[in-house]
Amino acid sequence: MSDRPPSFIDEAISAARGVAGLVVGNREVERRFDLTLRGLLGSLIALLFVTAISAALPMLMGQPGGVLRGILSYSLLLSLQVGCSAIVLVQLKRLDGFVPYFTADNWASVYVTILSTGLNLAGVSDEFLSLPVAVLVIVIAVNIGRLIVKLEPLQVAMFVIAQMVGAVAGGFVLSLFVPISS
C-alpha cells in the first residue's frame, strides 16, 4: 500500500459513498471521509467549485444578477450555520469535532447541491424539492452529529438546532439586505 495520499477524485468518490452512508445511518461512515485538515481543504475546494457552478446556472439561463445573489446567499448561510455549530461544540467542550463536522458537512452540501441542481435542470420545481431536501439535510445533520462527531442524543439535538438557527438567521438577514430576484 502506498503512503501517497488519495487523489482528489478518489477523495470525492469516497466522500460520495460517505454521504450516502450518512443518509442511511451507516455506522461505518466515518472511514469514508478524510477527517483531517487536508480533507477539510479538499471538501472546501469541492464546495467552492459546486457553489460557483450552481450560482452561475441562473445567468446561463438568462437571469442576470443570479450569480452574485447565489454566492452571497450561500456564503452567508454557510457562515452562520458553521458559526452556530462551532458555538455549540465549544459549549459542549467538543471542539475536536469541528474539522470532522465541517468536512462531512461540506461534502454533504456538495452532493445535495448536485442532486437538487440536477433535478431542477430536469424540470423538477423548487416547490416540489423544498420539503424532501429539507428532510434530507436534517437526516444528514443528525447523522453527522451522531456518527462523525460522536455526540450524545441530546447533544445531537442541540447541534442540529444550532444549525437550523443559523440557517433561519441567514434567511432573515438575506431578506433584509439582498433583494429577491423576480
Side-chain angles (χ1 to χ4, degrees):
M1 184 164 260
S2 172
D3 288 338
R4 190 178 56 118
S7 71
F8 182 76
I9 299 297
D10 292 336
E11 185 179 346
I13 291 168
S14 183
R17 291 182 180 127
V19 172
L22 286 170
V23 171
V24 298
N26 182 343
R27 294 192 183 278
E28 308 266 322
V29 73
E30 181 180 24
R31 67 185 177 88
R32 296 291 185 181
F33 296 101
D34 178 357
L35 299 176
T36 65
L37 288 175
R38 181 190 177 284
L40 175 60
L41 180 62
S43 72
L44 283 169
I45 290 168
L47 184 61
L48 288 171
F49 180 72
V50 167
T51 300
I53 289 173
S54 180
L57 281 176
M59 183 180 72
L60 297 174
M61 300 175 98
Q63 299 172 348
V67 175
L68 182 59
R69 178 174 169 68
I71 291 172
L72 277 174
S73 300
Y74 195 78
S75 298
L76 179 66
L77 292 172
L78 179 67
S79 299
L80 288 171
Q81 174 195 335
V82 170
C84 289
S85 299
I87 290 169
V88 168
L89 290 174
V90 166
Q91 293 299 314
L92 297 174
K93 295 178 179 30
R94 286 299 316 277
L95 202 51
D96 62 305
F98 182 75
V99 169
Y101 147 70
F102 199 21
T103 303
D105 188 68
N106 287 344
W107 281 116
S109 295
V110 164
Y111 290 109
V112 169
T113 300
I114 289 171
L115 175 68
S116 59
T117 301
L119 289 171
N120 277 141
L121 290 174
V124 179
S125 71
D126 283 334
E127 291 81 23
F128 182 75
L129 282 177
S130 300
L131 183 61
V133 169
V135 170
L136 179 64
V137 167
I138 291 171
V139 167
I140 290 171
V142 166
N143 284 333
I144 287 173
R146 265 177 1 103
L147 304 171
I148 301 293
V149 185
K150 301 190 182 334
L151 298 173
E152 297 298 322
L154 186 57
Q155 294 173 330
V156 171
M158 292 169 53
F159 188 62
V160 172
I161 289 169
Q163 291 176 51
M164 291 173 21
V165 166
V168 168
F172 179 72
V173 170
L174 281 174
S175 70
L176 292 175
F177 297 108
V178 180
I180 296 175
S181 57
S182 52

